[in-house]
Amino acid sequence: MIDLHTHSYFSDGSESPSAVVELAKKAGLSAIALTDHDRLDGLGEARVRASELGITLVPGCELSCVWKFSSREKEVSCHMLIYFVEMGTEPLSSELLRLQNDRDTRNERLIGKLNELGFEISLEEVSLIAKGQGIGRPHFAQALVNHGYVEGIQDAFDQILGSSGIAYIPKARLTPLDAINLANASGGIAVVAHPLILVDSVKDLIEPLKELRSFGLVGLESYYGRYTKSERQALVSLARDLDLVPSGGSDYHGSYKPDLNVGTGLGDLLVPDQVLEELAGRRVGA
Ligand code: AMP
Ligand code: ZN
Ligand code: FE
Ligand code: FE
């Protein structure tokens, strides 16, 4: 059993990379991927702990993309998981720095907007919540909760920070083609994360997935922490039909998504070990 989608406090998870690896060990996993948003700098710590505990660390990150696929008028959100990439690998590392800088600028604008709307929170306090780096909207959400402006993290997104909220400020996003090219040019592979954010049903994924596959996509996150058993089965079957690797993970974020556990997701997630071997086999030159 493995988990190929987790976040630490290097982005918007609440726990350290070591703690995430320890949870993986406790859950009996043979391998864990750390996939922080836009950054690879938690991987060193994760690798040391994984080696001490005798489990495999799969290095990775997650990139938020925006895409208008052929038959759609409207842009959709599409998250890409990149695996087998290391700190310093180019061209990915330079692009990640650009995304991190843009995120910092977005965060400053977001604080300005929130203050303008009367929410008296400061970037210093959000930064403390984030434990320093990789500040994201979940940290702003936590600050809004701490001040009693909203009941919980989800309310903060629904009312204020999410795409329909009163203070929505998007950050720079790549296209899936950019992300796939970056992954491949950096010795890695790309897998589309939680694919049901693109469309409402599994059957509507066929066309966009064929297009992504033509860009060089390797895998489809089919075993996902929040998907039902029947959604997972349908996604595995679709992945096989399209010659994509049916990958999977919990999307663990610690206290920011407290219902999701490392390895088991909502409780009955089970990502087979074999998926990791298949992904590794799709690397260029493998
Ligand atoms: P950011 O990268 O700072 O734009 O924030 C993205 C993070 O916010 C991801 O971890 C998402 O899971 C979380 N997020 C985005 N939209 C929502 C939403 N509507 N409800 C809950 N969490 C969200
Ligand atoms: Zn996240
Ligand atoms: Fe995501
Ligand atoms: Fe994620």
Side-chain angles (χ1 to χ4, degrees):
M1 188 175 156
I2 60 177
D3 187 337
L4 299 180
H5 189 165
T6 69
H7 299 268
S8 76
Y9 61 41
F10 277 77
S11 65
D12 56 4
S14 60
E15 306 304 312
S16 67
S18 302
V20 175
V21 172
E22 284 158 18
L23 288 168
K25 178 72 183 178
K26 218 174 273 174
L29 306 190
S30 64
I32 174 120
L34 183 67
T35 53
D36 277 314
H37 300 279
D38 305 340
R39 49 203 313 145
L40 301 166
D41 45 1
L43 293 171
E45 180 189 324
R47 181 171 283 114
V48 169
R49 196 70 187 116
S51 153
E52 287 166 358
L53 296 176
I55 80 173
T56 300
L57 187 268
V58 180
C61 63
E62 181 175 13
L63 302 179
S64 301
C65 302
V66 64
W67 189 34
K68 202 184 80 53
F69 56 91
S70 293
S71 64
R72 285 284 158 125
E73 293 283 305
K74 254 182 68 183
E75 289 186 325
V76 294
S77 222
C78 176
H79 290 191
M80 284 289 171
L81 292 160
I82 314 289
Y83 296 116
F84 311 121
V85 285
E86 301 291 343
M87 266 295 269
T89 309
E90 295 297 349
L92 181 63
S93 296
S94 298
E95 188 61 15
L96 292 182
L97 271 183
R98 189 184 72 82
L99 292 171
Q100 288 161 27
N101 288 334
D102 183 85
R103 172 185 287 282
D104 292 343
T105 310
R106 189 279 310 257
N107 290 342
E108 281 162 22
R109 289 177 55 213
L110 180 51
I111 267 296
K113 179 79 188 173
L114 289 169
N115 292 162
E116 200 182 294
L117 289 167
F119 301 109
E120 292 178 8
I121 63 175
S122 69
L123 202 49
E124 289 69 32
E125 107 186 69
V126 178
S127 175
L128 270 179
I129 291 169
K131 304 195 174 78
Q133 58 260 298
I135 300 175
R137 283 181 289 160
H139 307 122
F140 287 87
Q142 187 63 57
L144 289 163
V145 173
N146 293 352
H147 280 262
Y149 290 124
V150 283
E151 294 264 308
I153 302 249
Q154 195 54 54
D155 298 324
F157 273 97
D158 293 345
Q159 296 165 32
I160 302 168
L161 301 167
S163 57
S164 315
I166 53 178
Y168 176 59
I169 303 191
K171 60 180 193 286
R173 287 184 288 177
L174 303 175
T175 67
L177 178 60
D178 296 332
I180 292 167
N181 284 341
L182 265 177
N184 294 341
S186 306
I189 56 156
V191 169
V192 60
H194 41 69
L196 291 171
I197 65 167
L198 274 80
V199 292
D200 294 333
S201 73
V202 174
K203 72 173 177 7
D204 292 336
L205 278 170
I206 297 173
E207 185 213 319
L209 286 177
K210 282 186 174 166
E211 204 170 337
L212 292 173
R213 191 184 57 184
S214 77
F215 298 159
L217 183 79
V218 155
L220 178 70
E221 191 173 60
S222 307
Y223 306 91
Y224 181 65
R226 283 208 200 284
Y227 292 168
T228 64
K229 201 163 193 161
S230 66
E231 284 170 333
R232 282 179 251 154
Q233 280 168 349
L235 288 166
V236 169
S237 154
L238 179 63
R240 291 296 177 205
D241 287 347
L242 296 174
D243 193 31
L244 294 168
V245 179
S247 167
S250 62
D251 209 0
Y252 174 79
H253 279 73
S255 64
Y256 294 100
K257 299 185 183 183
D259 53 339
L260 292 174
N261 298 297
V262 173
T264 54
L266 290 171
D268 68 345
L269 189 71
L270 202 170
V271 186
D273 290 35
Q274 170 211 347
V275 162
L276 179 56
E277 288 153 39
E278 289 188 54
L279 288 174
R282 301 277 184 117
R283 293 175 75 178
V284 175

